[in-house]
Amino acid sequence: MASSTFLSSLFIFSATALLIISSIAEAYTNSGFILTLVNNCPYTVWPGIQPNAGHPVLEKGGFALNSLTHRSFPAPTQHWSGRVWARTGCTYNNGHFYCTTGDCGHRLECNGNGGATPATLAQFVLHHGHNDFSSYGVSLVDGFNVPMTVTPHEGKGVCPVVGCRANLLATCPPRLQVRSPAGHGPVVACKSGCEAFGTDELCCRNHYNSPHTCRASSFSEFFKHACPATFTYAHDNPSLMHECSSPRELKVIFCH
């Protein structure tokens, strides 16, 4: 009788433990909130994903995404912040991986590394505030390499599509152009004024590192005129970062 009671108790404990483990796993894999990266470009891109310090790497930090395909994966279920960008012109050569733009240390999976500038960036802060806000925006502060938008789905509140649909490679001023091969190749990216000239004023460094002294320049205005819903210099209007409550999906579209 005691043995039967013990076995019954053990069965109940095991079943309860299994249920708890299954619930935890389900919470992390089927939270209902997904991130989707879509490649509408007529060429392969290699998305890079970099978390901010203290947050986990998603999808090993990078992968190949063929033209006219997408990849969806569960969003973190807890507070997370980071950025997404596209790498272009990536090749394997003599066992080494290298991208013409957005390269993250010569590796396919960035694993927490950031990307080389210039590159268009999507920035995210997920699960914050009292209404489970997910904030998102697109930045050209570090320059431009591909058109990009962020589209939220089924969120509450004001959840606009934001980003830069224009192909700025075609209109990039000569002093900001990045060509590959250098000098005579096609334009593959467009530098920020900071990267092109490196002054404290253009980079909003030192004395210029405040909302009062960091100002738009003729170079940032080039980006702003083409893509007004993007950040174009370090202390640009914070309202360009949008807050959407409990979205079902955040979709990053390259070449939208």
Side-chain angles (χ1 to χ4, degrees):
M1 183 68 177
S3 175
S4 176
T5 301
F6 172 77
L7 289 175
S8 297
S9 300
L10 182 62
F11 175 78
I12 292 171
F13 173 79
S14 300
T16 302
L18 182 61
L19 181 62
I20 292 172
I21 292 170
S22 298
S23 298
I24 294 173
E26 184 176 2
Y28 275 86
T29 59
N30 297 313
S31 65
F33 180 18
I34 62 173
L35 299 177
T36 298
L37 308 187
V38 181
N39 182 14
N40 277 350
C41 303
Y43 47 82
T44 299
V45 300
W46 288 258
I49 307 171
Q50 182 190 29
N52 290 341
H55 297 283
V57 174
L58 308 181
E59 300 297 290
K60 300 182 179 179
F63 48 86
L65 194 61
N66 292 331
S67 177
L68 304 181
T69 64
H70 73 276
R71 179 160 170 172
S72 296
F73 48 93
T77 58
Q78 299 175 341
H79 178 66
W80 186 91
S81 61
R83 53 180 54 185
V84 174
W85 71 99
R87 295 170 287 168
T88 64
C90 301
T91 58
Y92 284 101
N93 190 15
N94 295 325
H96 298 286
F97 184 77
Y98 172 77
C99 298
T100 304
T101 71
D103 190 81
C104 66
H106 311 323
R107 56 181 67 185
L108 171 63
E109 297 170 344
C110 296
N111 280 321
N113 284 359
T117 58
T120 316
L121 298 175
Q123 300 175 317
F124 298 97
V125 182
L126 309 182
H127 301 301
H128 68 94
H130 61 284
N131 281 330
D132 189 28
F133 286 118
S134 287
S135 299
Y136 60 96
V138 172
S139 172
L140 303 181
V141 173
D142 291 330
F144 173 96
N145 66 337
V146 298
M148 177 195 291
T149 61
V150 178
T151 301
H153 290 289
E154 299 182 33
K156 303 178 185 70
V158 180
C159 305
V161 177
V162 299
C164 183
R165 297 174 188 252
N167 180 13
L168 301 186
L169 302 183
T171 56
C172 183
R175 290 186 293 175
L176 303 183
Q177 292 175 357
V178 177
R179 293 178 176 270
S180 182
H184 61 276
V187 177
V188 295
C190 192
K191 297 178 185 177
S192 66
C194 171
E195 184 171 359
F197 302 103
T199 67
D200 283 357
E201 185 174 7
L202 290 174
C203 296
C204 293
R205 288 190 304 243
N206 299 323
H207 169 71
Y208 296 97
N209 186 20
S210 81
H212 303 293
T213 56
C214 174
R215 300 295 185 186
S217 67
S218 60
F219 304 108
S220 69
E221 285 299 317
F222 160 72
F223 293 109
K224 182 68 73 175
H225 178 73
C227 301
T230 63
F231 292 92
T232 59
Y233 62 99
H235 287 280
D236 205 346
N237 191 337
S239 68
L240 293 166
M241 198 75 174
H242 297 274
E243 290 188 338
C244 188
S245 178
S246 303
R248 173 79 174 178
E249 178 184 35
L250 287 173
K251 185 178 290 183
V252 178
I253 304 178
F254 305 111
C255 300
H256 192 180

